[in-house]
Amino acid sequence: MSPRILLTGATGYVGGCLLRRFEREGLGVRCLTRRPDVLRKQAGPGTEVVVGDVLEPESLAPAMEGVKIAYYLVHSMDAPGSFADLDRRAASNFARAARTAGVRHIVYLSGLGSGGDLSTHLASRHEVGHILRGSGIVTTELRASIVIGVGSASFETVRAVVERLPAIPAPNWVDTAAQPIAIHDVIDYLFAAQACEPARSAIFEIGGDDRVTYAEVMREYARQRRLHRRVYSLPVISGRAWRLFLGILIPDHGRVAGAMVDSLRNETVVSNPAARDAFAVTPSGLPEAIERALADEDHDFADTAWGDVLPGAAPPPWGGSPVRGRLVSSRVEYVQASPHDAFAPIERIGGPTGWYGIDWFWHLRGLLDELRGGEGMRRGRPDPDRLHVGDTVDFWRVERIESDRRLLLAAEMRLPGRLWLQFEVEANGPRTEIRQTTVFDPAGYVGLAYWYMLYPVHRTIFGAMLRGLHRVTQPR
């Protein structure tokens, strides 16, 4: 049977999160995408991937066949030229194809904002909703404020500014009211929409439980990251200057973030609470939204197999590869041993066994940690041969362990940031690959300065550790 749900924008942030929710709930979904190779790597086996483009009308009919509900989660803000013109064309093509195919319900995620002086971005978002409703198909338009979630352009903008600036000068819009909403709440609303069979089109305003200013969003993020930041409203700073600055600060999201800057002059707050009555969703407040976003990111990093993400045995770039605000350095050694024999010395690391290279440095680092009030190397490890989640290993703690496959240690020494050390073991033909990966989450600009200044030392000691593991693993 053909899936009754069509999802556009599945390679984007919100669309990707919604696709994962559909798959967890066991719903059949067809995804329309311009990049099928990318999406097939992300989607589950039950998801149908169809090649198409909303700017190419002839490509839409096959994707619409048999569909009852279509999610419109695309925008053109990262495209060159006038994104408003592109969005107008795309929405018109989509609405026309949906009407021809007999689609019964369109669900669209838009932006909050009201009044006659809307930014180009918000005016375009509302125009797209008007075009979709004009198709005659029942359309549910959900208008959201800024979305709090790792990967959201708005959240990444807040993160980059707060993490990298000791003080934050901002235009007048820093005091504009907003109602930020957690990505999980957005997905709950979008998911709930597919279970409804509305008789008429409707616009719902969705927001979190707190009404705050953009300055308060930045202060709350700084508080949870234990960063001391002050936000200054400086009217002399123009929106154009901020757009240029964001393009440099967050190149991955710079174009979208820049397009959104003009929207920050518009209040994005819920004026009509109808969404609370129509959907069984209880949105969280700002502190909970940020806390969950950061916790989700930690969980994603802990689950990452870096052998699948980073290239082969290529040496890491200076300081490591930047991955969502963290610095990741990965190194590889190949040994003539089984995965079981390669993992055994890794599981014995620390304590009486030592760290397989430059052990005097580890004892010196432990002494410095004790002088700063930390535990240093005094804790050792509870068992010389076996490790379990929660065990201490000198000034590290075991976060994950998978026998003969993976060990993840979290540093508990005093640092201007957070540090993880991961070992992955995998059979590779007649040899076994040992991959050692360090992940550093710097606490603002002080953490970045610390990491880059001491990177030659880190590279030396972690490299010596990996070579030591290679040495003790080789057959004698």
Side-chain angles (χ1 to χ4, degrees):
M1 294 178 61
S2 297
R4 69 186 188 98
I5 299 173
L6 174 67
L7 176 62
T8 63
T11 56
Y13 174 62
V14 175
C17 292
L18 183 58
L19 174 59
R20 289 191 289 275
R21 175 66 178 275
F22 282 144
E23 290 179 339
R24 284 199 305 272
E25 299 290 342
L27 297 183
V29 182
R30 178 183 296 149
C31 294
L32 175 73
T33 179
R34 295 174 300 170
R35 300 183 293 169
D37 293 340
V38 172
L39 187 56
R40 287 190 181 105
K41 294 177 182 178
Q42 302 170 354
T47 295
E48 183 181 351
V49 177
V50 177
V51 182
D53 188 338
V54 289
L55 292 173
E56 299 175 1
E58 65 279 1
S59 70
L60 300 180
M64 298 281 189
E65 185 177 350
V67 166
K68 302 305 178 186
I69 303 172
Y71 280 80
Y72 192 78
L73 303 179
V74 297
H75 63 73
S76 304
M77 285 193 296
D78 57 350
S82 170
F83 66 82
D85 289 342
L86 292 174
D87 279 340
R88 189 177 302 117
R89 284 174 47 205
S92 299
N93 292 339
F94 190 84
R96 192 178 305 113
R99 184 177 63 244
T100 301
V103 173
R104 296 178 183 174
H105 187 192
I106 295 176
V107 181
Y108 166 55
L109 181 63
S110 181
L112 264 176
S114 60
D117 187 31
L118 289 180
S119 68
T120 303
H121 161 235
L122 288 178
S124 175
R125 297 282 80 202
H126 292 186
E127 182 186 17
V128 166
H130 179 75
I131 291 171
L132 296 176
R133 288 190 297 276
S135 67
I137 300 172
V138 173
T139 299
T140 299
E141 180 177 347
L142 301 173
R143 293 183 175 178
S145 183
I146 62 174
V147 176
I148 303 297
V150 174
S152 159
S154 51
F155 183 78
E156 294 302 332
T157 300
V158 169
R159 186 216 294 266
V161 169
V162 175
E163 293 279 356
R164 301 181 187 181
L165 297 181
I168 304 168
N172 284 336
W173 54 252
V174 76
D175 294 319
T176 302
Q179 213 159 328
I181 183 168
I183 180 60
H184 295 278
D185 295 329
V186 173
I187 298 305
D188 283 346
Y189 277 115
L190 289 168
F191 182 82
Q194 58 83 29
C196 301
E197 294 186 5
R200 61 181 64 88
S201 295
I203 298 172
F204 295 100
E205 298 177 343
I206 60 175
D209 202 36
D210 292 322
R211 177 172 171 161
V212 295
T213 66
Y214 291 107
E216 288 172 317
V217 175
M218 290 188 276
R219 292 189 187 106
E220 177 59 27
Y221 177 88
R223 184 190 70 80
Q224 295 202 25
R225 289 282 289 160
R226 300 180 182 179
L227 301 172
H228 300 288
R229 297 290 186 268
R230 296 193 66 180
V231 183
Y232 301 91
S233 176
L234 296 178
V236 295
I237 297 181
S238 68
R240 183 174 183 274
W242 260 90
R243 286 193 295 273
L244 293 173
F245 174 67
L246 292 175
I248 297 171
L249 198 63
I250 45 172
D252 291 344
H253 300 279
R255 185 183 292 272
V256 175
M260 294 170 61
V261 162
D262 287 340
S263 304
L264 302 183
R265 71 172 188 266
N266 299 119
E267 287 196 351
T268 55
V269 296
V270 174
S271 59
N272 184 336
R276 296 288 184 106
D277 299 326
F279 301 96
V281 177
T282 304
S284 56
L286 177 65
E288 295 81 11
I290 293 177
E291 181 180 7
R292 185 166 182 181
L294 296 176
D296 286 347
E297 183 175 48
D298 284 350
H299 187 271
D300 288 345
F301 270 89
D303 282 345
T304 299
W306 293 105
D308 298 334
V309 177
L310 300 176
W318 183 262
S321 303
V323 181
R324 300 202 303 273
R326 304 186 186 189
L327 296 168
V328 181
S329 298
S330 197
R331 303 169 182 83
V332 171
E333 285 280 354
Y334 294 95
V335 297
Q336 299 291 339
S338 68
H340 173 79
D341 291 338
F343 191 78
I346 293 173
E347 194 171 1
R348 291 194 297 268
I349 202 166
T353 300
W355 293 85
Y356 298 110
I358 320 183
D359 272 14
W360 63 264
F361 172 85
W362 292 99
H363 288 284
L364 175 62
R365 184 63 180 86
L367 177 61
L368 293 174
D369 193 56
E370 288 183 41
L371 293 175
R372 297 187 61 201
E375 292 290 343
M377 300 279 280
R378 295 177 296 188
R379 300 185 304 186
R381 46 179 292 158
D383 185 286
D385 299 312
R386 294 283 179 260
L387 288 175
H388 303 88
V389 172
D391 284 351
T392 58
V393 182
D394 297 331
F395 41 51
W396 302 80
R397 188 174 297 276
V398 179
E399 276 200 0
R400 299 281 179 92
I401 183 165
E402 300 171 40
S403 184
D404 299 341
R405 185 170 178 268
R406 188 162 75 119
L407 172 65
L408 177 63
L409 301 173
E412 293 188 338
M413 63 193 84
R414 298 299 180 93
L415 292 169
R418 299 182 297 166
L419 176 65
W420 291 266
L421 173 62
Q422 178 164 288
F423 296 95
E424 296 170 77
V425 172
E426 184 177 4
N428 191 320
R431 302 182 298 174
T432 292
E433 176 186 290
I434 300 177
R435 179 177 290 271
Q436 174 209 66
T437 304
T438 56
V439 179
F440 184 63
D441 179 20
Y445 59 93
V446 174
L448 284 171
Y450 161 85
W451 185 254
Y452 281 110
M453 286 176 59
L454 292 181
Y455 186 70
V457 177
H458 297 145
R459 184 172 62 175
T460 299
I461 61 170
F462 287 117
M465 181 193 302
L466 187 59
R467 290 191 297 273
L469 281 168
H470 178 275
R471 190 166 51 251
V472 300
T473 304
Q474 292 300 94
R476 300 184 183 280

